[in-house]
Amino acid sequence: MALADRSGRPPAPVASYWRRHQDQLIPFLFVVPALVYVGYFAFYPTFKTIQYSFQTPILSFTYFNYQSNVQSGLYSWISNTLWLTAGALALQFGLALAVASILNRTFRGKTIFGTIAILPIGIATVVAAFTFNQIFPGTGAGYANSVLASLGIAPVYWLAHPWMALLVVIVADSWKNTSLVIIILVAGYATIPRALYQAAAIDGAGPLRQFRYVTLPGLRGFIVMALLIRGAQEVNIFQLAYIMIGSYPQLLTVQVYLLWEGSGGIPYLASAVSTVLLGIVTVFIVIVIVLGGRR
Amino acid sequence: MTATATAPGSASARESAAAPVYRPRRFTLSNAGLYVVVLVLSLFFLFPIYLIFLIGFTPQSYTLFAARPPLIPPALTWVNLQTGLSVSSTPFLPSMYFSLEVAFFVGALAVLIGIPTAYGLAKLGSRLAYGLTTVLFVVNMLPSITIAIPISVVFIKIGLYGTAISIGLAQELLALPVTVFLLVGAFQGLPRDLENQARVDGAGRFRAVYGNLVPLVRPALVAAFLLSWMLSWDESTFALILYNPAASATLPVNIFLSFTGRGSPVVGVAFSCIATIPVIILTVFLQKYLKGEDLAAGVRG
C-alpha cells in the first residue's frame, strides 16, 4: 500500500524523508540490482543500436544505413514480417481458444491432453524449425508430401511461392508457440464464474452465444496481453524462419543476422534494420503501457 | 494479488457446494465429437516430437534422403546417434558441457537476482510495483537480435566475447522477468505476519527474508531455476550472435549451424534428440508452475 505523503507540506530534510518513506525505500533498494542489470544489458544496447544506425564507420552522422537498406528492399522485409505476424497470431489464437475451451470442460484424459498441448513450449526453436523443414521442404519431398502421396495428391513444392513459404512458417511457429497462448487463456477461463454460464443457459443462450457474450468478454484482458506478448515475439521470429525458408521471402530479423554475419563486426548497416524492428516492437510496448495505465 | 484459493464460506465455495458434483465424464456418444477434436489436436502437438526421434533413429535413406519418407520406420538404427555424437569428430562433448555451463549460470543468476527483486516488488506500493513490472515486461518484448549486436560489440572490447558468462548474462534477460513474476506471486501468497513476526523476534530484514520467507517459497524457487535453465538450454539467438567460432557453442547453436549448411545435418539430428529429452521431462514437471498470470506479467482480466 502506498505511503506517499499527499498532504502537500514542503519537502522535509533527507533523514526525515528516509524515516517517513523507508517502508517504500527499502523494498525499492531490493529491486535496484535487477534495474541496474536490465538497464545495462537491455536498455543501453537498445539505445546503442539506434545510435549505430545513424553512424558511419568514422562515427559521423548519416542516413546512408537506412537509404542503403531501402534500396535493398527494406519495405518488402517489413511487409513480409507483418504478414507473418498477422497470420501466426490468427492461427495461434484460433487454436489456443479451441484448446483452452476444451480444457475448461471436464472429461476423462483432460490432464494428459493439457500436458500434450504444452509440450512444444519445451522444444528448442531450432529443433522445431528443422523438424518442420523435414515436413515442408522446398524439394517436393518431405513428410507432408508422403501423406499427400498416400491420398493420391501430387507433391507440393512448399517454398515455391512466397505466400506458401510464409504459410508453412506460420504453421511451424504456431506449433511451437500456441502453448504459451493456451496457458494464458486457461488462466483467463479460470476467472470466469461458472454461474455466468448457467445464467446464460437459463436465458436460452446456446454454446455460440455463450462464447460470444460470456467467454470473450471474460477473456478480454488475457487475450489482449497474450496478443501483445506473442505479437512482439512474432515480429522477432528468426531462426525458425531462417532454417525453414532461408531468405525467400526475407524477414527483418534474418536480414539483420545476414548483415551482421557479413560485416566482420561492423554493426552500422545491420543496426538500421534492427532499429526498424525495434520501431515495430515499440508499437506493441506502447500499447502495453497505455492499457496498463488505464487499469 | 492473486488470491485464487477459495476461502471456506466465500461465495464460490457456497456456489460449488450447491452445484452438482462434477465427475470426469466417460466416453459416450454425446461427447464423441469432443474426443475426436482432442485426438486431432493431440496428434498435431505430438507429431513433430515423434518426428524428432523418428529421424534420429531411422536410417537416413528413409528420412533425410527419401523422396517419400515413411511415417513408420521400416528399420531402426543407432548409426545417426553414433555418427552425430562421435566424440572424436563432432563438437558433442564440448558443446554439451558449454550448454550445461550456460544453463546452470542462467538458472542460478535468475534465483540470485530474482529473490530480492520479487521480494521488493511484493512489498512496494502498487503503482511503483506496477511500473517496475512493466519495465521487466518490456525487456521481455525487446528483440533479442537487436540487443545482441551491441552487446557483442561491447564483449569483444572487454574480452568476455564467447564465454559462458557473456552468453548467460544476455540470456538472463529472458529468464529474469518470468522468474520475478513467478516469485512475486509466491511471496504475495505468504501471510503478511510471518515477516513481522520474525522482525519482532529480532531478525534484521535480510535475515527475515532469507531465513524465514525464502524457505517457504522453495517450490517456486526450484520451478524458477528449472524454467530459467530450460529457457537457456533452448535459447539460440543470443547464443548464436555471442558465440566465438574459435571456441565452444551451445547445442542449439551447433544445431542451427548444421542445418544452415555449416555442418553435417546428421550432427544436428543427433544433437536435436539429445537436447529434446531433458526439456520434455522438465516441461511435464514444470506444468503446474507455468501459470498464465505469471507469463502475462500479472494480468487480471
Side-chain angles (χ1 to χ4, degrees), chain A residues 25-79:
Chain A
L25 286 171
I26 292 175
F28 184 76
L29 289 179
F30 276 82
V31 183
V32 166
L35 287 181
V36 171
Y37 165 71
V38 297
Y40 187 70
F41 280 95
F43 294 110
Y44 174 67
T46 306
F47 163 75
K48 280 308 259 187
T49 295
I50 301 170
Q51 195 186 23
Y52 286 151
S53 76
F54 292 106
Q55 271 180 1
T56 64
I58 54 163
L59 305 184
S60 58
F61 180 88
T62 181
Y63 288 119
F64 171 80
N65 300 321
Y66 287 94
Q67 288 159 345
S68 160
N69 278 309
V70 167
Q71 278 177 4
S72 314
L74 179 67
Y75 297 134
S76 71
W77 311 333
I78 295 175
S79 85

Side-chain angles (χ1 to χ4, degrees), chain B residues 196-219:
Chain B
N196 298 339
Q197 192 63 52
R199 300 289 300 282
V200 169
D201 291 347
R205 192 178 289 257
F206 272 97
R207 275 237 340 257
V209 173
Y210 283 90
N212 296 60
L213 300 187
V214 166
L216 293 174
V217 296
R218 199 180 294 144

Side-chain angles (χ1 to χ4, degrees), chain B residues 97-114:
Chain B
Y97 176 73
F98 194 62
S99 266
L100 287 171
E101 211 180 345
V102 177
F104 277 101
F105 176 76
V106 170
L109 189 64
V111 170
L112 193 74
I113 311 182

Side-chain angles (χ1 to χ4, degrees), chain B:
Chain B
M1 267 298 294
T2 31
T4 40
T6 309
S10 75
S12 49
R14 273 197 307 271
E15 170 199 315
S16 58
V21 179
Y22 285 102
R23 288 217 182 74
R25 274 182 287 166
R26 286 162 187 282
F27 180 84
T28 60
L29 269 184
S30 62
N31 60 15
L34 174 73
Y35 277 97
V36 170
V37 178
V38 166
L39 191 68
V40 170
L41 286 168
S42 299
L43 282 177
F44 171 72
F45 289 120
L46 287 176
F47 179 63
I49 300 175
Y50 166 70
L51 269 193
I52 297 168
F53 294 102
L54 174 77
I55 297 172
F57 292 96
T58 308
Q60 287 178 42
S61 54
Y62 296 115
T63 56
L64 299 180
F65 305 120
R68 295 284 167 272
L71 293 171
I72 292 152
L76 292 173
T77 179
W78 289 101
V79 169
N80 299 329
L81 261 69
Q82 278 164 356
T83 333
L85 308 181
S86 149
V87 174
S88 54
S89 56
T90 70
F92 175 59
L93 278 185
S95 180
M96 178 91 171
Y97 176 73
F98 194 62
S99 266
L100 287 171
E101 211 180 345
V102 177
F104 277 101
F105 176 76
V106 170
L109 189 64
V111 170
L112 193 74
I113 311 182
I115 291 174
T117 312
Y119 169 78
L121 286 178
K123 288 272 151 189
L124 277 172
S126 59
R127 284 189 62 179
L128 191 52
Y130 175 74
L132 295 172
T133 308
T134 308
V135 168
L136 287 176
F137 195 59
V138 165
V139 167
N140 234 357
M141 292 170 85
L142 291 172
S144 299
I145 201 159
T146 298
I147 300 176
I149 291 174
I151 291 183
S152 86
V153 173
V154 172
F155 282 158
I156 289 171
K157 271 188 204 145
I158 62 176
L160 265 178
Y161 185 57
T163 59
I165 289 180
S166 67
I167 292 171
L169 279 171
Q171 290 182 339
E172 195 64 48
L173 291 173
L174 305 174
L176 185 64
V178 89
T179 299
V180 170
F181 300 147
L182 213 152
L183 292 182
V184 168
F187 276 124
Q188 285 179 336
L190 296 177
R192 213 167 235 283
D193 287 341
L194 267 176
E195 190 190 351
N196 298 339
Q197 192 63 52
R199 300 289 300 282
V200 169
D201 291 347
R205 192 178 289 257
F206 272 97
R207 275 237 340 257
V209 173
Y210 283 90
N212 296 60
L213 300 187
V214 166
L216 293 174
V217 296
R218 199 180 294 144
L221 280 179
V222 172
F225 175 86
L226 292 175
L227 191 60
S228 304
W229 190 97
M230 188 168 92
L231 281 171
S232 164
W233 183 259
D234 285 345
E235 204 278 340
S236 46
T237 303
F238 285 125
L240 174 69
I241 303 287
L242 295 172
Y243 94 103
N244 179 353
S248 291
T250 62
L251 289 171
V253 171
N254 276 310
I255 294 172
F256 176 82
L257 295 174
S258 76
F259 292 145
T260 49
R262 282 164 288 183
S264 150
V266 72
V267 171
V269 167
F271 281 27
S272 295
C273 288
I274 296 297
T276 301
I277 293 167
V279 285
I280 288 184
I281 298 167
L282 273 179
T283 310
V284 173
F285 176 75
L286 285 172
Q287 190 181 3
K288 67 175 173 175
Y289 293 101
L290 294 171
K291 295 211 189 84
E293 297 90 343
D294 300 332
L295 298 176
V299 58
R300 303 279 176 266

